[in-house]
Amino acid sequence: MPIKIPDRLPAANVLTQENIFVMTESRAAHQDIRTMRVLLLNLMPKKIETENQLLRMLSNSPLQIDVDLLRIDDRASKNTPQSHLENFYYDFEQIKDEYYDGLIITGAPLGLTDFCDVLYWDKIERVIEWAKSHVTSTLFLCWAVQAALKILYGVDKQTRLEKLSGVYEHQKLAEFEPLVRGFDDVFLAPHSRYADFPIELIRKRTDLNILAASERAGVYLAVSPDRRQVFVTGHPEYDAGTLHGEYLRDLSAGLEPAIPENYFPQDNPNNAPRATWRSHGHLLFANWLNYHVYQLTPYDLRTLSAEGQTLTRF
């Protein structure tokens, strides 16, 4: 089944060329079905690139999904045309009375910035609190995991001395949890962060169920007991060349970055990188949509409770 997006969103052409079934708003208006509503809070600088990546992940599902785009930083963007933001993005005030089956909050280039110095921190807090009563399941990516741990559990930011950048092996730690259904016992996923997520800290300070972790990268995947919050510390949505682009960006900025680990063949940046995590990424998003969104969400989203719900359909 397709994902439904605005008629003129650039992702429509990109995904259609990849033989991914997308449905524009004008076509979807003629259908009479209950689609899944997913809100994407995009905090990444290159918003169009991130849209393409995440919409590609969401497309690998039999569910029909209606995607809305949200921004909370109203400053002029250096990497995304203002016309794109005005045409395709909502401000929070425009959607705060709406209800959604799923919410995705992306990472952000704020790994070395204290929460108190994040200009839109109060807005992040508001969205995460709002989601408790307006969203069935929220998926946090990378920096958003740090923000959510602080807001929901009071866990302060943990920062690594050196940036973690590369593709790492992870071990599945839960055999029968729906979110990791179909995962290999050991799988690959990319990371690009200064944030640190030690296993013992998460176990001690939260009630999260850790589903996958890495000796090198720490906690990778965790979920709240009611399955309404999912925490992914890496970037399973990344394209094959995304880490390469970030490496070149940091080189140009004079940061002398280390070569991303386990990424370039023979660890040589002159060799084209290959996406060794793509199947895992698609499976993770498909499982989230099926087991944590579709299987959990009520038919009438207005009945959502801030106290959470118990997943009972599988």
Side-chain angles (χ1 to χ4, degrees), residues 37-43 50-51 53-55 57-58 65 67-70 100-107 127 130-131 135 137-142 144 230 232 237 285 288-289 293:
R37 300 192 68 198
V38 173
L39 182 66
L40 170 57
L41 173 52
N42 192 350
L43 304 175
T50 301
E51 292 161 20
Q53 292 172 351
L54 287 170
L55 291 174
M57 293 292 105
L58 293 174
I65 303 165
V67 179
D68 285 341
L69 303 175
L70 176 67
Y100 289 88
D101 301 285
L103 166 65
I104 299 172
I105 303 181
T106 73
V127 170
W130 165 86
V135 178
S137 182
T138 301
L139 190 154
F140 303 99
L141 291 170
C142 199
V230 174
V232 183
E237 80 282 5
F285 277 85
W288 175 66
L289 284 171
V293 179

Side-chain angles (χ1 to χ4, degrees), residues 12-299:
N13 288 330
V14 173
L15 300 182
T16 299
Q17 291 172 4
E18 297 175 11
N19 288 322
I20 293 174
F21 187 11
V22 296
M23 180 177 289
T24 58
E25 287 179 323
S26 55
R27 180 178 177 184
H30 299 286
Q31 295 199 335
D32 185 20
I33 62 174
R34 161 75 160 86
T35 61
M36 296 291 100
R37 300 192 68 198
V38 173
L39 182 66
L40 170 57
L41 173 52
N42 192 350
L43 304 175
M44 295 292 276
K46 296 183 178 180
K47 297 198 184 307
I48 296 176
E49 178 181 294
T50 301
E51 292 161 20
N52 292 342
Q53 292 172 351
L54 287 170
L55 291 174
R56 188 179 292 116
M57 293 292 105
L58 293 174
S59 71
N60 193 34
S61 166
L63 302 171
Q64 185 165 316
I65 303 165
D66 185 350
V67 179
D68 285 341
L69 303 175
L70 176 67
R71 63 171 180 168
I72 56 174
D73 185 2
D74 55 8
R75 292 174 297 169
S77 172
K78 299 178 181 178
N79 300 283
T80 304
Q82 185 64 26
S83 60
H84 181 86
L85 298 174
E86 293 174 355
N87 287 330
F88 300 116
Y89 277 78
Y90 291 102
D91 294 319
F92 182 70
E93 290 299 319
Q94 294 175 283
I95 59 91
K96 62 183 177 66
D97 295 325
E98 299 289 326
Y99 293 83
Y100 289 88
D101 301 285
L103 166 65
I104 299 172
I105 303 181
T106 73
L110 299 169
L112 297 178
T113 304
D114 291 337
F115 291 140
C116 62
D117 294 326
V118 175
L119 294 178
Y120 49 76
W121 180 251
D122 59 331
K123 297 180 181 178
I124 289 286
E125 289 183 303
R126 187 180 181 193
V127 170
I128 291 178
E129 290 297 329
W130 165 86
K132 292 179 181 180
S133 57
H134 286 74
V135 178
T136 300
S137 182
T138 301
L139 190 154
F140 303 99
L141 291 170
C142 199
W143 180 84
V145 173
Q146 271 198 327
L149 289 175
K150 175 62 175 178
I151 293 166
L152 298 175
Y153 292 96
V155 177
D156 291 329
K157 176 193 287 283
Q158 309 293 310
T159 304
R160 306 173 65 93
L161 295 178
E162 297 181 353
K163 185 178 182 179
L164 182 76
S165 177
V167 182
Y168 303 95
E169 283 192 349
H170 300 76
Q171 291 73 44
K172 183 175 68 172
L173 302 180
E175 185 62 32
F176 301 112
E177 185 69 27
L179 194 62
V180 294
R181 185 165 291 171
F183 279 29
D184 291 328
D185 292 339
V186 176
F187 62 91
L188 298 173
H191 291 264
S192 178
R193 54 178 165 85
Y194 283 98
D196 196 18
F197 301 100
I199 295 175
E200 290 307 314
L201 176 70
I202 302 302
R203 285 176 175 165
K204 181 178 180 180
R205 297 289 305 278
T206 77
D207 59 356
L208 298 178
N209 183 13
I210 300 174
L211 306 185
S214 164
E215 290 184 6
R216 182 76 172 86
V219 172
Y220 171 67
L221 180 62
V223 62
S224 62
D226 61 4
R227 297 189 174 96
R228 290 189 61 187
Q229 285 91 32
V230 174
F231 302 78
V232 183
T233 68
H235 284 287
E237 80 282 5
Y238 268 12
D239 295 328
T242 306
L243 285 176
H244 188 191
E246 293 180 350
Y247 172 68
L248 294 178
R249 177 200 64 197
D250 291 348
L251 277 178
S252 298
L255 300 179
E256 299 182 357
I259 296 173
E261 298 180 80
N262 312 312
Y263 177 57
F264 297 107
Q266 292 81 52
D267 289 327
N268 184 347
N270 293 319
N271 294 329
R274 294 169 292 190
T276 55
W277 60 89
R278 185 176 291 125
S279 58
H280 152 69
H282 279 289
L283 185 55
L284 172 59
F285 277 85
N287 283 350
W288 175 66
L289 284 171
N290 184 19
Y291 298 115
H292 288 246
V293 179
Y294 175 71
Q295 299 279 0
L296 178 61
T297 197
Y299 185 84

